[in-house]
Amino acid sequence: MSNVKSAIIVGGGIGGLVTALKLHRVGVSVRVFESVETIKALGVGINLLPHAVRVLTELGLADELEKTGLPTAELIYVNKFGQKIWQEPRGINAGYRWPQYSIHRGRLQMLLLKAVKAQLGEQAVFTGHHLHSFQMFGETVVANFENRKTGKRLGSYSADIMIAADGIHSTVRKFYYPEEGHPKFSGRILWRGITEFTPFLTGSSMIMAGYQDRKFVAYPVCPDTAANGRSLMNWIAELTVGDEMPSRADWNKKIDKEKFASAFAAWDFGWLNVPKLIEETEAVYEFPMVDRDPLPQWTFGRVTLLGDAAHPMYPIGSNGASQAILDADALGQAILEHQNPEAALKAYEDLRLEPTANIVLTNRKNGPEVVMQIVEERSPKPFENLYDVISQQELEDIANKYKKIAGFDRQTLNSK
Ligand SMILES: Cc1cc2nc3c(=O)[nH]c(=O)nc-3n(C[C@H](O)[C@H](O)[C@H](O)COP(=O)(O)OP(=O)(O)OC[C@H]3O[C@@H](n4cnc5c(N)ncnc54)[C@H](O)[C@@H]3O)c2cc1C
C-alpha cells in the first residue's frame, strides 16, 4: 500500500485533470489548482490516440468520449496538389481495441472537469489559483498560490506530493531549470481554426497536405452533423517563417487570416477546398510551433513534472494530449506499486522520460510526416505514379517506426 495519501496537482488542463482522476482511483486525496478564474472550452481540435483512449476508458469515460469526439477513420497524406501519398486506417478501423478520437480540446477539458467534480467533489478544484512558489519540508510539500490578475496571495496548501501539470510555461519547471528560458521556436507558425464545413472523403478522415514549409491539416471533430449536413471542421495551416519568433507561445492569440491565407489560395483539391475553408472560418488563432529540449530529470523528491510541463513537443503525430494522458496513467500505476512516495515519483519518471524524449526529438524531424517532405523534394511537380517517387516499403517503414516510438503499435497495445 502506498504512503501517498494526498496530492496537489498544479494545472487543470488535460494532463492535470486526467491525473486527478487516476490518482483518485488509486486512493489518493487530490486537489487541483488552476490558474485561470473560469475554465472555458478553449482550443481547437486535437486527437486522442488509441493508447490514450484506453486510459480514459479505464477511467470510465468511454460513453462521454463517444458522445463528444469523432472516431477517426483514416489518416491520409497528400502533396500540395492533393495527390495521395499515404493512406492508413486509424483506431478501430486499423484493428485497435480502442478508437482514435478527433475531439475539440475545450470540450474534452470540460468533460474531464465534469468527471473530476463528480468523482472527487466540487471542492477538489480551485480555480483562480496560480502557483507562485513551493517548498518541501521533510515529508510534506507546501504550495503557495496567488491570484494571477490581482497578484493577491491566496494561501498555502500542503500534501504528500505535488504534480506540476502547468503546461508549456510551467512555473515548477522554471524553478528547477531557471536558465532554460523561452520554448524553442521551430521557425514555423501554426494558424488554427474551426468552423462548420462540408465533410470530405469518409466524413471522418484526417488529411495532411503539403510538406514541411507549407502544410495544411484538416479533420472533423464532432460526432453530430448540422441539419445542413455540415460538420465541425478543425484545420491547421502551417508555414515556415524564419528564425525569429513573432510572439509568445499563447494558445489563445487571435489574428487576421490575411497573414497566411494567400499561401494556400491554389489548394482546391476538388474533394476539399482549402481556401474556402479558411475563408469561412471566423476566428483564427496563431501559435508558434515550439518545444523544449528533453530534460535529464523530472522528479525532485516529492515533486514531479507531467504533460507539457515535462515534455512539450511539436504537435506532430497527434501526441500532445495523448502523452500527457499516458503520463497520468503511469504515475497512478507507480504510486500503486511503490510504498515510498519519492520512489513512486522516480519510477514514474523512469517509465516516461525516455519514451517522451524520443517523441520530442523525432517530431523535430517531422515524425511520420517526413514522407510528405521526401515526396516534395523528389517531385515538386505533380507525379504520374507515386511509386516512381517513393516505394510502398519506404512509406510503410516510416509509419511503423513512428508508431513504435509513440507507443501505439497495434500488437503491443492490443495485448495490454
Ligand atoms: C487554453 C489552451 C488551449 C489549447 N489549445 C490547443 C489546441 O488548439 N491544439 C493543441 O494541439 N493543443 C492545445 N493546447 C495544448 C494542449 O492542451 C496540451 O499540449 C496537451 O493537452 C497537454 O496538456 P497539459 O495538461 O500538459 O497542458 P495544458 O493543457 O496546456 O494545461 C496546463 C494548465 O496549467 C495551467 N497553469 C499554467 N501555469 C499555472 C500555474 N502556475 N498555476 C496553476 N495553473 C497553471 C494553465 O492555465 C492550463 O490550464 C492548449 C492549451 C491551453 C492551455
Side-chain angles (χ1 to χ4, degrees):
M1 190 58 196
S2 167
N3 285 335
V4 179
K5 303 283 180 255
S6 59
I8 284 171
I9 296 176
V10 185
I14 310 298
L17 293 172
V18 178
T19 305
L21 292 170
K22 181 72 192 187
L23 295 199
H24 176 70
R25 277 277 162 122
V26 302
V28 179
S29 165
V30 176
R31 283 175 292 186
V32 179
F33 295 86
E34 165 56 48
S35 184
V36 301
E37 211 74 64
T38 313
I39 300 179
K40 295 186 191 143
L42 297 176
V44 294
I46 57 168
N47 259 255
L48 295 176
L49 296 173
H51 51 17
V53 175
R54 168 182 163 259
V55 172
L56 298 180
T57 302
E58 283 175 357
L59 291 170
L61 299 172
D63 291 346
E64 288 298 313
L65 276 180
E66 201 181 329
K67 278 189 239 158
T68 315
L70 181 78
T72 315
E74 59 175 0
L75 169 67
I76 298 179
Y77 296 143
V78 299
N79 66 4
K80 61 182 184 257
F81 307 104
Q83 294 179 293
K84 197 190 297 167
I85 297 170
W86 173 253
Q87 176 175 22
E88 63 175 31
R90 297 294 276 199
I92 300 282
N93 277 5
Y96 287 94
R97 283 168 55 201
W98 300 272
Q100 170 173 338
Y101 279 113
S102 296
I103 192 164
H104 188 286
R105 179 202 172 270
R107 291 185 187 172
L108 171 65
Q109 191 181 11
M110 299 318 276
L111 173 168
L112 295 170
L113 181 64
K114 193 171 132 203
V116 167
K117 287 185 173 175
Q119 293 180 28
L120 283 68
E122 293 270 341
Q123 76 292 343
V125 181
F126 295 69
T127 55
H129 279 65
H130 183 81
L131 181 81
H132 166 269
S133 56
F134 62 95
Q135 297 88 29
M136 262 186 277
F137 296 111
E139 297 186 346
T140 305
V141 185
V142 177
N144 314 305
F145 295 91
E146 64 177 10
N147 181 305
R148 190 96 203 261
K149 272 196 192 142
T150 61
K152 188 174 161 232
R153 290 296 171 93
L154 296 173
S156 304
Y157 297 82
S158 58
D160 295 334
I161 58 170
M162 183 172 87
I163 315 303
D166 50 348
I168 190 159
H169 302 292
S170 167
T171 305
V172 179
R173 181 173 175 133
K174 200 182 212 168
F175 175 83
Y176 288 112
Y177 296 94
E179 306 298 324
E180 192 183 25
H182 296 296
K184 285 199 160 171
F185 183 43
S186 61
R188 294 186 250 170
I189 306 241
L190 307 168
W191 291 281
R192 300 139 49 237
I194 198 161
T195 191
E196 276 188 3
F197 202 67
T198 314
F200 59 84
L201 302 178
T202 61
S204 41
S205 305
M206 177 182 202
I207 67 107
M208 308 206 173
Y211 52 100
Q212 177 178 302
D213 293 342
R214 197 184 325 185
K215 195 176 98 187
F216 195 84
V217 179
Y219 53 91
V221 290
C222 182
D224 312 313
T225 35
N228 58 8
R230 295 185 144 210
S231 37
L232 198 60
M233 193 70 69
N234 178 73
W235 59 263
I236 304 154
E238 188 183 315
L239 290 177
T240 297
V241 295
D243 292 339
E244 208 168 307
M245 192 154 112
S247 55
R248 182 180 190 264
D250 171 2
W251 286 107
N252 300 314
K253 185 174 188 288
K254 275 195 195 171
I255 58 109
D256 185 350
K257 52 196 170 196
E258 300 319 316
K259 221 169 154 181
F260 65 91
S262 62
F264 299 93
W267 290 28
D268 178 0
F269 304 143
W271 47 271
L272 173 67
N273 187 333
V274 171
K276 192 155 181 267
L277 177 55
I278 296 173
E279 190 190 306
E280 289 190 8
T281 306
E282 249 173 62
V284 177
Y285 302 90
E286 177 174 281
F287 192 80
M289 191 152 115
V290 290
D291 67 3
R292 291 183 184 277
D293 287 335
L295 293 177
Q297 188 179 348
W298 298 345
T299 294
F300 301 86
R302 288 169 177 253
V303 175
T304 197
L305 306 174
L306 181 142
D308 278 4
H311 47 69
M313 51 184 67
Y314 294 167
I316 285 175
S318 308
N319 266 301
S322 296
Q323 294 300 326
I325 292 168
L326 295 192
D327 288 351
D329 188 51
L331 179 63
Q333 208 52 41
I335 287 174
L336 265 187
E337 286 167 11
H338 296 265
Q339 247 202 333
N340 179 309
E342 299 191 12
L345 298 195
K346 197 77 195 128
Y348 149 74
E349 175 187 303
D350 289 345
L351 273 172
R352 296 293 301 150
L353 193 146
E354 201 185 319
T356 51
N358 283 340
I359 303 173
V360 171
L361 299 178
T362 309
N363 281 3
R364 284 185 182 169
K365 294 183 204 141
N366 294 319
E369 292 163 28
V370 71
V371 293
M372 295 158 71
Q373 182 63 18
I374 293 172
V375 169
E376 170 66 18
E377 283 168 15
R378 294 181 192 167
S379 178
K381 294 195 173 144
F383 52 74
E384 299 245 315
N385 179 0
L386 172 67
Y387 298 128
D388 292 339
V389 182
I390 188 166
S391 70
Q392 179 66 15
Q393 193 60 51
E394 198 174 353
L395 289 164
E396 277 174 22
D397 288 349
I398 290 170
N400 293 337
K401 193 171 158 211
Y402 189 77
K403 288 193 183 80
K404 284 215 169 75
I405 290 171
F408 71 111
D409 82 288
R410 190 180 55 212
Q411 263 178 342
T412 318
L413 182 57
N414 279 355
S415 65
K416 285 192 178 174

